[in-house]
Amino acid sequence: MAYYSVPAIRRLQLGRELKAWREKAGLTLEQAGGDLDLSKSTLSRMEKGQGAIHPLHARAMAELYRLSEDDLERVVEIAREARRPNQNRIEGVSVNSYPALEAEAVSVRNFEVATVPGLLQTEDYAAAFFAESGTRERNRNLNVRMHRAKRLHSEEPLQLHTIIDEVALRRRIAKPSALVAQMLHIVELSELDNVQVQVLSAGIGVHPGLRGAFSVLRFPEDTISDLGYVDHAGGHLQLVKQTQVAELIRQFRKLGKMALGETQSRDLVFGLANEMSA
C-alpha cells in the first residue's frame, strides 16, 4: 500500500486518543489544561481534532496521562504526521471540511438524490450549480470541485462507488448541451476501474434514500474508522459513532440492491444523453 500523509484524520485520531487517555487518568479538561498551561477551550478543540497538536504538547500530555514509553512515542509520531502536508490537499480548504477528509480517504460510498455527485461533475455543470453564488464564492467552489475530481485519475486513485437517483440526472440544472456533456462524462468515468456508478430508477418510487444524500468515507489502515457525512439545509454532520456509520452502510447496500447494475446504469445515462440532445 502506498504511503499516505493524512493530517486531518491524524488530528481526529490523535484528539480522540488523548481524550480517552485523559479520562482514563481521571482528569477533567480544567485540571489537564492547568497542568499543560492550556485553556479548557484550547484543549477541547485539540481533542476534537480542530487544531494541530505540536509534538511537544503531545509528549507533555502523554507524560501527564502516564502513558507507557511505547504509547508515548506512538502518540508523538501521530502528532508529527498530523503536521505533514498532504499531496491531495486543496489550498484554502479547512482541514475538517468534507473536501479535506475526502482528499485523505481511500474510498467513498456516496448516494445522491438531488444532483450529479460532485466528483463526477463537469465544469459547466458545476458552474451552473453555483450560478446563484457571488463571483468570489462561485469561483472558489468551482475550483474546489474541479480539484476534487482529480483524485479519480491520480497515481493512487480514490475508489468511488456512487448511487444516483435518476431524478437527479434529469434535473435541468444546466443548459441542454451542458447536460448532454455531463451525461457523457459520467459514462466515461464509469468505465474507470476505480469508479462504480449505479442509477436508482425513477420508477422505484419510495426508497430509503429519499431522506437525503450521504457519504461514507474509508481511510488508510491504522488511522480512523469509517466516517459518515450528511449535508443538510443548516450545514453538515460528521457521523463517527459506529452504530450511525453502520446504519448508513446498511442503507447504501440496500440502495445498491434496488439500483440498476453498472452496465444497465451506463446504458441509462447514455440514453439520457441522446434524449437530451434530441
Side-chain angles (χ1 to χ4, degrees), residues 16-217:
R16 291 173 192 170
E17 284 202 26
L18 289 172
K19 179 181 179 181
W21 284 114
R22 174 180 59 76
E23 292 176 343
K24 187 176 181 180
L27 296 173
T28 65
L29 281 169
E30 292 90 345
Q31 290 170 331
D35 287 337
L36 296 165
D37 199 23
L38 296 171
S39 69
K40 174 183 174 181
S41 60
T42 297
L43 185 55
S44 177
R45 286 196 300 273
M46 287 179 173
E47 291 185 351
K48 292 176 181 176
Q50 295 175 350
I53 301 177
H54 194 281
L56 291 177
H57 273 140
R59 180 175 293 278
M61 291 179 194
E63 291 174 348
L64 176 63
Y65 306 154
R66 298 185 178 181
L67 273 65
S68 68
E69 188 64 29
D70 286 345
D71 284 329
L72 184 151
E73 291 303 324
R74 184 176 58 82
V75 163
V76 171
E77 180 55 33
I78 294 174
R80 291 193 184 105
E81 188 171 352
R83 297 170 67 85
R84 293 172 184 158
N86 184 337
Q87 62 180 352
N88 296 317
R89 184 178 179 276
I90 305 171
E91 186 175 354
V93 170
S94 166
V95 295
N96 295 309
S97 67
Y98 180 84
L101 292 170
E102 182 187 80
E104 294 161 355
V106 294
S107 72
V108 171
R109 281 169 280 190
N110 162 250
F111 171 71
E112 289 294 341
V113 68
T115 64
V116 169
L119 284 167
L120 303 184
Q121 290 180 12
T122 64
E123 187 167 354
D124 285 343
Y125 183 97
F129 180 77
F130 294 124
E132 298 301 315
S133 304
T135 302
R136 184 174 181 179
E137 182 181 359
R138 180 175 66 251
N139 291 340
R140 175 188 175 279
N141 289 335
L142 190 58
N143 177 63
V144 170
R145 186 141 299 185
M146 293 302 97
H147 193 107
R148 286 172 56 199
K150 294 179 181 179
R151 280 293 316 279
L152 298 178
H153 302 280
S154 64
E155 185 176 340
E156 292 290 337
L158 179 71
Q159 298 294 318
L160 172 66
H161 182 182
T162 184
I163 303 172
I164 317 168
D165 194 308
E166 181 183 345
V167 175
L169 299 175
R170 291 183 174 276
R171 183 160 284 111
R172 303 287 177 164
I173 285 179
K175 60 185 180 180
S177 60
L179 290 175
V180 171
Q182 176 63 79
M183 296 305 110
L184 295 177
H185 185 62
I186 293 173
V187 170
E188 180 182 354
L189 290 177
S190 72
E191 295 174 345
L192 295 175
D193 291 339
N194 58 303
V195 176
Q196 183 178 354
V197 177
Q198 288 184 267
V199 176
L200 194 64
S201 172
I204 290 291
V206 177
H207 60 77
L210 289 175
R211 284 174 287 185
F214 63 88
S215 296
V216 177
L217 294 82

